Amino acid sequence: MGRKRRIIRVGPAVSLGAVVLLAAILLPLEPAAGAEAVAGREGYSVGLFDPSSGAWYLRDPSGHTTRLGTFGGAGDIPLAGDWDGDGVDTPGLYRPATGRLVVRNGPEPISFIYPISGDALPVVADTDGDGRDTVSLARGGRLYILDGLGEGPASLQGPDPLPIVLPAGTEALVGGDFDGDGVDEVAAVHDGTVEMLGGSRRVALGYIGKALPVAGDWDGDGVYSVGAYDTWRAEFRFLAADGEEVPAPLAYGSTGMLPVAGDFGELSGSDFPPMHRAGLPPMTQGDEGPEVLLLQSELARHGLYRAEIDGVFGPATAFAVVAFHKVLGVERTWGWEEADSLRMANFTLPPLPERPAEPNRVEVDVGRQVLYLIEQGEVTAVIPVSTAGSYVYWSVRQGAYVGAGTPHGDFTLTRHSVGWVCDPLTGWCIYNPWNFTPNYAIHGYLEVPAYPASHGCVRVPTWDADYLEGHLYVGMPFHVWDEYVPATR
């Protein structure tokens, strides 16, 4: 990132795969009307990427803004690095959905597009000390070091045989020279704490809560320290090298924008900064626009939304919002409420049962009417459900009145059918059912209200039933409970 020669001593390099060249010109826009052109002072600073428009806003250390032309969009993760070794950090994008890494080399109108693993956590760093940044990826609790970015296919090497084991619950990664020895380290963010990896022990660099991490040599002393962007309060916070927060936060940008940091070189500083807006306005089904797109992006980041990020508040967005409300224990409305922005700024999942012997499992929280999909020990999806209602109904099969009830306890998935399955006796049809008892299943259904309403099965929306096809398997542990209260220690 920038001019320093930096090394991460964490393992051998690996290949990014074949390279495809793309002409992708990224030009600064003309100065905004009325904006004063000021040559920006060089040094480490911060910037923002707006996924709703694809615009980049780079803020130089003197406080002036340079806006870059459109590069990327919804679903992309912004990166900044010195891809070609010229001492200046320029934009890059990681596309987790398609497994692509797109970078721009300085002012040249060429970007590299790399096939790369999808659905991973990226971190930018110069892993071999050659003055060029690259992007390494973490998947399944392990960090795989990649190298050779920006030099073309001839520089790429084989897979990393020694991935780094990350702390449980790692949410993000950030790279930098945190100890000032001229060698880069990687830090992991988990439970809001930033910890430097490597060596025999981990070193805490500070606490950032639910904010997104950045790092830089803010004061030019050769030591990186951590910063964070609170996307719901739309402000940067900076920590000193000892992990203590610098008192004054920097209000910049709007909710939903994503941060970058680096040494961006000399900038024109001639553009207006992005509009400052903390939080999102109330929204409901039928609304469209950039605010909906930002809401979908944030819901997806928390595992609540799995459909296309398209800026249209449709049924999938409404179900994600109601799942958000269910987890919080507030009124289960289907629209985004005035109070929800503050709720999202402080959003955390409730405690879940600890089952270290079952890293892959499903937990059905009947009290909140949601299920948690857990993979490799991490919650990867929060899905709204409707379990059995408290009523009596006539059972055609049993020829008697019976009470609706969902079995509680510890089960495994035992049987699966694909597509719509209809009962010839009752005519009821269920979608992609996974049985956890001979008579009860988790399945897709056309009606999934915000309250318990089934005869006993666990209903999910049909699109979530499609999503689960790639994540559930026969033999997977399946747990159903009313309310989990952690044991006191």
Side-chain angles (χ1 to χ4, degrees), residues 118-211:
D119 296 323
L121 294 177
V123 60
V124 175
D126 176 7
T127 59
D128 60 2
D130 66 353
R132 299 171 185 261
D133 281 319
T134 190
V135 178
S136 297
L137 296 177
R139 295 189 72 186
R142 287 171 170 77
L143 172 63
Y144 297 87
I145 301 300
L146 312 179
D147 206 9
L149 180 60
E151 299 180 61
S155 69
L156 303 178
Q157 302 176 27
D160 180 0
L162 298 171
I164 303 165
V165 178
L166 298 174
T170 294
E171 303 152 4
L173 300 168
V174 61
D177 183 5
F178 298 111
D179 57 11
D181 65 352
V183 178
D184 257 1
E185 295 80 34
V186 171
V189 183
H190 63 102
D191 297 324
T193 297
V194 186
E195 284 188 343
M196 187 171 68
L197 307 177
S200 58
R201 64 187 182 92
R202 297 169 184 159
V203 178
L205 301 176
Y207 180 80
I208 63 171
K210 300 298 292 183

Side-chain angles (χ1 to χ4, degrees), residues 37-77:
V38 179
R41 181 165 60 86
E42 299 178 28
Y44 283 84
S45 191
V46 294
L48 290 172
F49 166 67
D50 183 353
S52 67
S53 67
W56 293 66
Y57 300 89
L58 303 184
R59 184 182 188 275
D60 63 45
S62 62
H64 296 90
T65 293
T66 300
R67 179 181 176 184
L68 305 182
T70 301
F71 182 55
D76 291 337
I77 297 176

Side-chain angles (χ1 to χ4, degrees), residues 443-463:
H443 60 76
Y445 204 66
L446 293 179
E447 297 179 8
V448 185
Y451 52 86
S454 80
H455 287 173
C457 287
V458 178
R459 298 180 186 175
V460 299
T462 53
W463 53 84

Side-chain angles (χ1 to χ4, degrees), residues 309-329:
I309 298 175
D310 57 6
V312 178
F313 200 124
T317 305
F319 272 87
V321 169
V322 85
F324 171 67
H325 290 153
K326 286 179 171 185
V327 171
L328 292 175

Side-chain angles (χ1 to χ4, degrees), residues 306 319 323 326 334 362-365 369-373 381-387 420 429-434 436 441-449 451 453-454 456-469 472 478:
R306 287 155 295 280
F319 272 87
K326 286 179 171 185
W334 301 85
V362 174
E363 301 277 355
V364 179
D365 183 344
Q369 290 288 284
V370 296
L371 73 76
Y372 306 96
L373 175 65
V382 182
I383 297 176
V385 303
S386 179
T387 58
W420 287 101
C429 297
I430 58 178
Y431 184 64
N432 288 354
W434 295 83
F436 59 95
I442 174 176
H443 60 76
Y445 204 66
L446 293 179
E447 297 179 8
V448 185
Y451 52 86
S454 80
C457 287
V458 178
R459 298 180 186 175
V460 299
T462 53
W463 53 84
D464 281 326
D466 283 330
Y467 170 81
L468 290 172
E469 279 297 290
L472 304 185
F478 190 89

